[in-house]
Amino acid sequence: RLRDRVHWGVRFLDDVIDVNCYPLESIALATRANRKIGLGVMGFADMLIRLGIPYGTPEAVAFADKLMRFIRRESLAASESLAKRRGVFPHFRRSIYAGTGRRLRNATVNTIAPTGTISIIAACSSGIEPLFAVSFVRNVLSGTRLFESHPLFEKIARERGFYRRDLAAEVARRPSLAKVKGVPRDVKRLFATAFDVTPRQHLEIQAAFQRHTDNAVSKTINLPADATVEDVREIYMAAHRLRCKGITVYRYGSKADQVLSVGEETE
């Protein structure tokens, strides 16, 4: 099923290049000459929860590598199939693929985008990020504040008999389940949040995806409010050593109004 979706996704994105309205003719010429696309994923954290794999563990890193390797292989196969019918991209002879025996429709095929907005529409976790929190407040552009709680946590809590209204309220006040009493240890591990995952674990997940992604991989490392300049420096240097194309850090509370926050609501 995933192979089928990948092939349709590559075909769709290649079509988009032709029907797009470009703001400048120079942009249109460059885009059509290289036909770069970026098929990616979202909902990775939700998938790990459903598989019973805690985010950031060696098992999660291995699965990320296996998943993106498959998507990469099938994306290239789909682009090769399109090239046979529609031709290679115009700048093919000046590309890294010239002389390799592989003829592609697209200069690049994969990327991992942030998907912060479309993941809300799809009701899943964004990109390859861990859960921000099990419950949190989302500030949207109109100034509206939306309280969100992860449905899988409530489902598991009810099935295993530890769900209580006061427990739900306690979860909503904390960025992590680590200090919430009444939640089994294995459930706490499974619902690891951005505040539970160490910078190194964030980077290992990103690097696993980057190994099989020709464009960049979007990834944010959430840092506590007391993070230091040296903490940030080490993250950037480690990302460079792991051959990541980019990295973002966010120190919690560094902006007066931030999109996602925890511990603000008591009801």
Side-chain angles (χ1 to χ4, degrees), residues 249-265:
V249 297
Y250 181 73
R251 191 182 64 173
Y252 190 81
S254 59
K255 294 178 66 177
D257 295 312
Q258 51 192 32
V259 177
L260 304 178
S261 57
V262 294
E264 293 188 7
E265 303 295 336

Side-chain angles (χ1 to χ4, degrees), residues 36-58:
K36 290 185 177 183
I37 60 172
L39 186 67
V41 301
M42 63 181 179
F44 179 65
D46 288 344
M47 183 193 67
L48 289 180
I49 291 170
R50 290 181 179 275
L51 291 173
I53 303 173
Y55 191 102
T57 60

Side-chain angles (χ1 to χ4, degrees), residues 110-132:
N110 298 120
T111 194
I112 306 295
T115 71
T117 301
I118 61 173
S119 64
I120 300 173
I121 299 170
C124 68
S125 58
S126 66
I128 60 168
E129 303 291 355
L131 304 182
F132 174 73

Side-chain angles (χ1 to χ4, degrees), residues 66-265:
K66 178 182 178 182
L67 173 68
M68 201 60 206
R69 184 190 301 117
F70 178 87
I71 293 173
R72 169 77 172 161
R73 186 182 71 220
E74 293 303 322
S75 297
L76 289 170
S79 187
E80 284 185 297
S81 178
L82 283 176
K84 290 176 182 177
R85 286 178 286 160
R86 301 178 178 180
V88 296
F89 58 95
H91 282 176
F92 178 80
R93 290 184 179 180
R94 296 161 55 187
S95 75
I96 60 172
Y97 295 108
T100 65
R102 169 162 263 168
R103 295 176 60 80
L104 298 176
R105 176 68 171 167
N106 316 96
T108 65
V109 292
N110 298 120
T111 194
I112 306 295
T115 71
T117 301
I118 61 173
S119 64
I120 300 173
I121 299 170
C124 68
S125 58
S126 66
I128 60 168
E129 303 291 355
L131 304 182
F132 174 73
V134 176
S135 297
F136 59 89
V137 175
R138 185 187 299 276
N139 294 308
V140 294
L141 291 177
S142 63
T144 303
R145 300 174 56 169
L146 306 175
F147 177 75
E148 300 186 20
S149 185
H150 203 287
L152 287 176
F153 176 76
E154 184 173 335
K155 180 175 181 291
I156 290 174
R158 290 184 183 279
E159 288 175 349
R160 294 183 54 173
F162 64 84
Y163 181 83
R164 308 183 315 274
R165 284 181 61 88
D166 60 330
L167 175 67
E170 178 67 12
V171 168
R173 285 192 289 269
R174 296 184 180 274
S176 164
L177 296 178
K179 297 182 180 179
V180 178
K181 296 180 180 179
V183 179
R185 181 176 299 178
D186 62 317
V187 176
K188 290 181 178 180
R189 289 188 71 237
L190 188 58
F191 284 86
T193 71
F195 299 91
D196 296 314
V197 180
T198 67
R200 183 69 189 188
Q201 290 172 327
H202 276 285
L203 288 169
E204 286 177 348
I205 289 288
Q206 178 174 352
F209 277 95
Q210 185 70 80
R211 282 193 290 272
H212 310 290
T213 304
D214 42 15
N215 292 314
V217 174
S218 173
K219 187 79 187 71
T220 299
I221 295 180
N222 296 85
L223 297 173
D226 59 356
T228 67
V229 172
E230 185 57 33
D231 292 335
V232 174
R233 180 184 184 279
E234 177 51 36
I235 287 168
Y236 273 81
M237 297 304 292
H240 178 69
R241 289 192 294 270
L242 290 169
R243 302 181 68 83
C244 294
K245 289 195 173 184
I247 187 66
T248 301
V249 297
Y250 181 73
R251 191 182 64 173
Y252 190 81
S254 59
K255 294 178 66 177
D257 295 312
Q258 51 192 32
V259 177
L260 304 178
S261 57
V262 294
E264 293 188 7
E265 303 295 336

